Amino acid sequence: MCAARPVLDSLEGLALGDAFGDRWFSVPLDEAPAALAARLVRPAPWHWTDDTAMALVLVRHLLDGGEVRPDALAREFAAEYARAYGRKYGPSMHRVLRGIGAGGDWRTITAGQFEGQGSYGNGAAMRVAPLGAWFAEDLDLVARQAERQALTTHFHPEAVAGAVAVALTAALAVRSRGEDPPARAELLTEVAGRLPDTDVRSGLRIAARLPEHTSVRHAANVLGSGTLISAPDTVPFALWSAAGHLDSLPETVWHTLEGWGDKDTTCAIAAGVTAARTGLAGVPPEWLTAREQLPGWVGEVSLTTDRSPGAAAGDRNTR
């Protein structure tokens, strides 16, 4: 059985973080620091971006089949892109998703990006937290499924590692429901220990060693906060922020925003992780009113599905 509540909670949190963070791109640079210091919530509406659009596709895909089926998922990502390409997709994803939508093989297209290196952007990581919640009972399965979904658009090992790291952190957040949250350093160290030798892993290990009193701005300067739109420059900071505020979704979002950088994506990643543990508890109602609503099918999902994703998947093997 797959308990759908943590999955949907993670999805709702991801969308909230995405829309919340994106709204701050319109704040004039000379006004932004004071507005953030005063925690002035931005006026409605808060529209979500490609981060949420792709997460919705991924969750619907899991609901339909119980596991990641890369051929189908790649086509579904491309179909959603064609339907709503104005969701701020990045340049490389325009090329990838148009090519897949035109009938190209996703393996050839993704592997051909950036002279055969593939994209190491943060797009595979920004959408994956709900998958970690889905497969939370089996961390090895979380890693395999996160990798499979990543490869449909991002061939580079760093992008894959970033997606795996986010999914694992979300899974561990789900496992801590009803208990004290894991300590930040322990959580980040455990996730890093399950990753291959990558810059993402190195970033998480550095994040785990930052003193507890480290300011957000210092952490962002050391780890990066998505300015380069890459997985190594985005994931360690977003997970550091989430891991320090696993009992409060609003605090996760505010603190992540302080890092500036790729604000919609860092907030989406961090909020997707924290919400996998907390749900929307403590979120001001006006935030949810301001945020663009998710499609109607999200509210129609049963709190428990009769899928057995772990068994099904186990039987088979910038931006």
Side-chain angles (χ1 to χ4, degrees), residues 72-130:
L73 181 61
R75 292 192 298 269
E76 290 159 16
F77 280 146
E80 173 61 22
Y81 167 81
R83 190 187 69 80
Y85 64 88
R87 289 288 184 183
K88 300 187 178 181
Y89 288 86
S92 69
M93 287 302 98
H94 286 296
R95 295 190 296 270
V96 167
L97 296 173
R98 284 173 181 165
I100 295 171
D105 181 81
W106 62 268
R107 299 167 187 80
T108 302
I109 293 169
T110 59
Q113 293 292 300
F114 300 100
E115 299 179 348
Q117 297 181 72
S119 171
Y120 75 138
N122 55 28
M126 70 191 185
R127 65 196 186 216
V128 77

Side-chain angles (χ1 to χ4, degrees), residues 120-122 224-234 261-262 318-319:
Y120 75 138
N122 55 28
S225 60
T227 303
L228 302 179
I229 320 295
S230 73
D233 181 57
T234 303
D262 192 12
T318 206
R319 24 189 188 181

Side-chain angles (χ1 to χ4, degrees):
M1 300 288 283
C2 167
R5 183 74 273 158
V7 179
L8 298 180
D9 284 345
S10 179
L11 177 61
E12 289 276 5
L14 186 157
L16 181 65
D18 175 20
F20 182 99
D22 185 68
R23 193 66 181 82
W24 281 78
F25 280 110
S26 62
V27 182
L29 291 178
D30 60 341
E31 299 177 13
L36 177 56
R39 292 196 168 183
L40 298 178
V41 176
R42 307 311 304 161
W46 304 350
H47 293 294
W48 37 264
T49 74
D50 57 327
D51 303 47
T52 302
M54 299 190 89
L56 285 163
V57 171
L58 181 56
V59 170
R60 188 60 183 260
H61 180 84
L62 292 173
L63 287 167
D64 289 343
E67 65 171 334
V68 175
R69 294 154 287 132
D71 291 341
L73 181 61
R75 292 192 298 269
E76 290 159 16
F77 280 146
E80 173 61 22
Y81 167 81
R83 190 187 69 80
Y85 64 88
R87 289 288 184 183
K88 300 187 178 181
Y89 288 86
S92 69
M93 287 302 98
H94 286 296
R95 295 190 296 270
V96 167
L97 296 173
R98 284 173 181 165
I100 295 171
D105 181 81
W106 62 268
R107 299 167 187 80
T108 302
I109 293 169
T110 59
Q113 293 292 300
F114 300 100
E115 299 179 348
Q117 297 181 72
S119 171
Y120 75 138
N122 55 28
M126 70 191 185
R127 65 196 186 216
V128 77
L131 178 147
W134 183 285
F135 296 107
E137 292 183 358
D138 185 337
L139 296 182
D140 290 335
L141 186 57
V142 168
R144 292 197 299 272
Q145 292 288 303
E147 177 179 354
R148 286 163 71 94
Q149 71 83 32
L151 287 170
T152 60
T153 54
H154 290 72
F155 178 74
H156 198 286
E158 293 289 349
V160 174
V164 171
V166 173
L168 286 170
T169 311
L172 291 166
V174 170
R175 288 178 166 212
S176 73
R177 278 191 171 214
E179 304 174 355
D180 290 338
R184 174 189 265 160
E186 293 173 3
L187 177 58
L188 297 176
T189 298
E190 179 170 0
V191 172
R194 291 179 172 272
L195 300 180
D197 184 10
T198 54
D199 289 343
V200 171
R201 184 178 73 173
S202 297
L204 286 174
R205 287 179 168 170
I206 293 170
R209 293 195 297 269
L210 291 175
E212 278 302 312
H213 62 268
T214 299
S215 70
V216 177
R217 292 303 305 148
H218 181 68
N221 288 335
V222 171
L223 302 172
S225 60
T227 303
L228 302 179
I229 320 295
S230 73
D233 181 57
T234 303
V235 171
F237 170 76
L239 295 184
W240 174 86
S241 185
H245 302 90
L246 282 176
D247 276 335
S248 174
L249 182 55
E251 286 300 308
T252 292
V253 173
W254 281 118
H255 280 265
T256 306
L257 181 64
E258 285 187 46
W260 297 119
D262 192 12
K263 294 179 280 291
D264 59 326
T265 294
T266 55
C267 287
I269 291 172
V273 167
T274 296
R277 170 179 162 83
T278 67
L280 297 177
V283 174
E286 57 268 26
W287 288 22
L288 300 177
T289 301
R291 191 204 70 185
E292 178 184 359
Q293 296 303 299
L294 297 180
W297 63 261
V298 175
E300 297 168 1
V301 174
S302 171
L303 293 186
T304 303
T305 75
D306 56 5
R307 301 283 184 187
S308 181
D315 288 344
R316 296 183 285 275
N317 297 312
T318 206
R319 24 189 188 181

